[in-house]
Structures are given as structure tokens and as C-alpha cells.
Amino acid sequence: MPNDDEKPALLGKIKDKLIRSKEDWAKQGRLLTGRPDFGRVNRLPPGQKEVTNWPVLDLGIQPHIRPQDFRLEIGGLMENPVIWTLDEFMAQPQEDFVSDIHCVTQWSRYDNHWRGVSARHIVELVRPGARAQYVLFTARDGYTTNVKRMVFEEPNVLLAHLWEGKPIPREHGGPVRVVIPDWYFWKSPKWVTRIEFAAEDKHGFWELRGYHNEGDPWKEERYS
Ligand SMILES: Nc1nc2c(c(=O)[nH]1)N[C@H]1C(S)=C(S)[C@@H](COP(=O)(O)O)O[C@H]1N2
Ligand SMILES: [Mo]
């Protein structure tokens, strides 16, 4: 079992100021250029700036998940729900991916090398039902985010444990984080603990606070 101080809802430590200012961004429509790039002509989505470092964004909690405490639950509307330990996760087929990151706070980082388990493999294994058109992620810090099932099934989506050949550091969501490269990075939960397939959509943490339900960077889907 995780230690008490690693459980979500440590509300006292939550970055209220950061959350409020990001809610204000949504109300003001900050960073919108009004020039979406529907054809994805440019590698850099509108309003973004390329960085070469890797910024850290969280709600004030960076859970320390010891390997023996790691559990990943994949459940909901499906034939074969699973609960994996870290060893069981690592025993799944491993694949390499290269993708760009686009954070809604304006930074983009090119050519990230990931290794992990593809979302496609997971879908083949758990066999979600036809009615399961939505996916809700939950993370150890209490964070949640939602995507359509067809977004999760894109071939470049994975559950990553290596970045640039090294274990993903704790602050970036290690031991295992989701990577959904074609969407703003708030759709890529760190410290993922549960992936739920459902017939109904459900807003996650930022989607409840003024952020777009889909989040396509080329369409500037920053806010709802
Ligand atoms: N569990 C969890 N996942 C999360 C977040 C978070 O606060 N908690 N923040 C999201 C946001 S807003 C962004 S931009 C990216 C940041 O990932 P990074 O810190 O590795 O750059 O993680 C996303 N996933
Ligand atoms: Mo973000």
C-alpha cells in the first residue's frame, strides 16, 4: 500500500494560485492567435514557442511511487480488465516512439524519445466494448483527464517508462506516464493509476476549469 502522504487530495499542498491563474487564462483566452493551422502545415502549432529544456507542471504534489507500490488498473466497459504490478506492466511488449510535446502554457519540445507499452496493445488486450467510446485517466496525485477512445487508440499513444533511454524522473510522472502527442500535454497524465473505458464522457481536472474538452493544438483548442 502507498504511504498516507502519497495519496491524492493533499489539498493543503495544492497550488491554488497556479490553478486560479490558469483558470484566468481560460477566461481571457490567453495565447490565442486566431490563426489555427488546420492542415498542420507547420510543425509548431499556433501560439507555441519551442524550448529545449523540459518544464515541469503539476498541482503541487509529485507522488513518490515505489516500484513495489505501483499498480495500474485498466477497467470499465471491457472483456478483460487488468490490474498490473510494475513487473507485469514491464512484461508487456515494449515499443519505441519519438514525438513532440505541446503544453497549453505555450512551450513545445521536439523529438522526445519514449519507450513503453502502446495504447493499441492495451486496447487489444483488454477488449473494450463497442459502447466504450470514452477514456478517463486518474493519477496518484488526484489529477484526472479525459479523451475519446479514438484518440487513445492513435498509433503514437503510449504508456511510457523511459525518456531518452532513462527511467522517466519522478517529477515528469515516473515510473509510468501516458503520452498522447497530438494533443495538448494536459491530456497526458503523469503517475497514472487508472484507465477507465466508459460509454459517457466525463471532464477531468482542467476540463472542469475552462480548458477545452478535446485540446487539438493546431486548432488552438486551448479553452472551452
Ligand atoms: N498526474 C498529473 N498529470 C499531469 C499533470 C498533473 O498536474 N498531474 N499536469 C498536466 C499538464 S497541465 C502538463 S502540461 C503535463 C506536464 O508534464 P511535464 O511536467 O512532464 O512537462 O502533465 C500533465 N499531466
Ligand atoms: Mo499544461
Side-chain angles (χ1 to χ4, degrees), residues 54-58 103 139 141 143 172 177 185 188 190-191:
W54 188 8
V56 173
L57 281 100
D58 56 59
C103 173
D141 60 342
Y143 186 80
H172 287 297
R177 79 168 297 157
F185 212 34
S188 293
K190 313 198 272 190
W191 314 293

Side-chain angles (χ1 to χ4, degrees), residues 16-224:
D16 293 316
K17 246 173 102 180
L18 172 130
I19 294 167
R20 270 199 303 275
S21 83
K22 280 185 79 175
E23 284 177 311
D24 287 343
W25 283 33
K27 282 181 205 132
Q28 296 156 13
R30 274 278 302 272
L31 306 176
L32 293 174
T33 68
R35 292 188 305 278
D37 178 2
F38 291 114
R40 288 182 62 159
V41 173
N42 298 302
R43 181 172 184 181
L44 194 64
Q48 294 294 109
K49 287 190 176 135
E50 193 195 340
V51 300
T52 51
N53 62 329
W54 188 8
V56 173
L57 281 100
D58 56 59
L59 304 174
I61 302 160
Q62 296 178 346
H64 178 79
I65 302 172
R66 295 180 305 174
Q68 64 268 36
D69 293 333
F70 176 92
R71 291 291 180 281
L72 175 62
E73 216 180 318
I74 306 170
L77 290 177
M78 59 182 57
E79 283 176 29
N80 302 314
V82 297
I83 302 178
W84 281 333
T85 63
L86 194 55
D87 286 345
E88 287 165 336
F89 170 80
M90 294 295 187
Q92 304 303 313
Q94 301 288 317
E95 293 171 49
D96 292 301
F97 297 79
V98 184
S99 57
D100 299 346
I101 297 173
H102 306 293
C103 173
V104 75
T105 62
Q106 204 174 31
W107 58 271
S108 292
R109 189 182 192 288
Y110 290 163
D111 291 328
N112 298 275
H113 295 76
W114 311 101
R115 187 169 176 77
V117 178
S118 73
R120 287 216 159 156
H121 167 72
I122 288 172
V123 168
E124 269 173 35
L125 190 83
V126 301
R127 302 179 61 81
R131 284 172 51 240
Q133 291 302 315
Y134 299 95
V135 177
L136 182 73
F137 301 100
T138 306
R140 182 63 74 79
D141 60 342
Y143 186 80
T144 53
T145 189
N146 57 304
V147 295
K148 288 186 176 143
R149 173 181 172 169
M150 56 183 283
V151 168
F152 184 70
E153 287 183 324
E154 283 170 15
N156 58 0
V157 173
L158 81 152
L159 272 60
H161 63 90
L162 295 186
W163 175 78
E164 303 303 325
K166 290 176 297 238
I168 296 180
R170 169 183 175 181
E171 65 272 21
H172 287 297
V176 177
R177 79 168 297 157
V178 178
V179 177
I180 304 183
D182 290 345
W183 306 82
Y184 285 119
F185 212 34
W186 89 77
K187 295 289 188 182
S188 293
K190 313 198 272 190
W191 314 293
V192 62
T193 55
R194 184 168 167 83
I195 304 176
E196 166 99 20
F197 284 75
E200 265 116 56
D201 200 8
K202 195 169 163 188
H203 286 162
F205 186 89
W206 287 118
E207 294 82 7
L208 285 167
R209 289 169 176 78
Y211 284 76
H212 199 280
N213 198 42
E214 319 233 334
D216 180 336
W218 285 272
K219 294 184 188 161
E220 297 201 287
E221 290 176 343
R222 295 177 188 273
Y223 316 114
S224 59

